[in-house]
């Protein structure tokens, strides 16, 4: 794919666990803080978000990104967090691969996502069957 798309695979695995958690706990909607202002990151590209929404739908769940349009700057994010009484200090750990980021395009991101769907689907189905 000529770029580092490790973050796409990593985010897919996070979503897999969110799907399993939501199903186990009868939660119908999952949201995250993906924002258009960060769509240089492949896991926040619109193609990734739309494909991930389709995965959630296939399990009867909704996936939303309420900040995608509204959080245009870091100050917007801080204002929203402050409004809800949440910490404005980042609690995200440093990623081992964060410094290896390279800009990709939506086509490559979509193709990479599609190439990993079999693994994601098998993982989810196996975990769901184990829980029965």
């Amino acid at each position: 794919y000529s770029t580092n798309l490790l973050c796409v695979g990593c985010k897919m695995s996070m979503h897999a666990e969110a799907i399993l958690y939501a199903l186990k706990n009868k939660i119908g909607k999952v949201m995250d803080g993906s924002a258009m202002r960060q769509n240089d990151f492949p896991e926040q590209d619109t193609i990734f978000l739309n494909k991930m929404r389709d995965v959630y739908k296939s399990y009867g769940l909704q996936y939303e990104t309420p900040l995608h349009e509204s959080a245009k700057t870091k100050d917007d994010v801080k204002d929203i967090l402050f409004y809800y009484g949440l910490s404005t200090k980042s609690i995200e750990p440093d990623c081992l691969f964060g410094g290896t980021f390279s800009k990709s395009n939506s086509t490559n991101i979509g193709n990479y996502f599609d190439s990993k769907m079999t693994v994601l689907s098998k993982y989810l189905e196996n975990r769901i069957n184990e829980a029965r």
Side-chain angles (χ1 to χ4, degrees), residues 2-121:
S2 302
T3 57
N4 181 356
L5 294 173
L6 182 68
C7 295
V8 174
C10 182
K11 192 70 167 199
M12 288 175 82
S13 68
M14 289 182 215
H15 280 291
E17 293 304 316
I19 288 168
L20 294 169
Y21 183 87
L23 292 172
K24 178 182 178 184
N25 294 286
K26 299 180 180 10
I27 298 169
K29 186 184 296 186
V30 175
M31 298 183 197
D32 73 18
S34 294
M36 187 180 290
R37 71 181 186 84
Q38 293 182 311
N39 70 355
D40 280 351
F41 297 109
E43 75 281 4
Q44 293 193 47
D45 186 271
T46 302
I47 192 83
F48 175 86
L49 298 175
N50 288 337
K51 285 180 175 288
M52 207 65 244
R53 278 187 192 90
D54 290 341
V55 173
Y56 277 88
K57 278 183 201 170
S58 73
Y59 290 94
L61 303 169
Q62 287 180 288
Y63 166 54
E64 295 183 10
T65 54
L67 301 179
H68 193 258
E69 301 291 328
S70 62
K72 294 184 180 8
T73 67
K74 282 185 179 184
D75 286 339
D76 290 343
V77 173
K78 287 180 181 180
D79 289 346
I80 293 166
L81 291 170
F82 182 77
Y83 177 81
Y84 288 101
L86 301 170
S87 172
T88 57
K89 183 177 172 30
S90 178
I91 58 171
E92 293 178 276
D94 289 327
C95 173
L96 176 63
F97 300 100
T100 63
F101 173 74
S102 55
K103 177 76 172 124
S104 192
N105 61 52
S106 295
T107 300
N108 280 346
I109 294 165
N111 289 339
Y112 180 85
F113 188 103
D114 292 344
S115 75
K116 301 304 176 193
M117 268 308 298
T118 301
V119 173
L120 178 66
S121 296

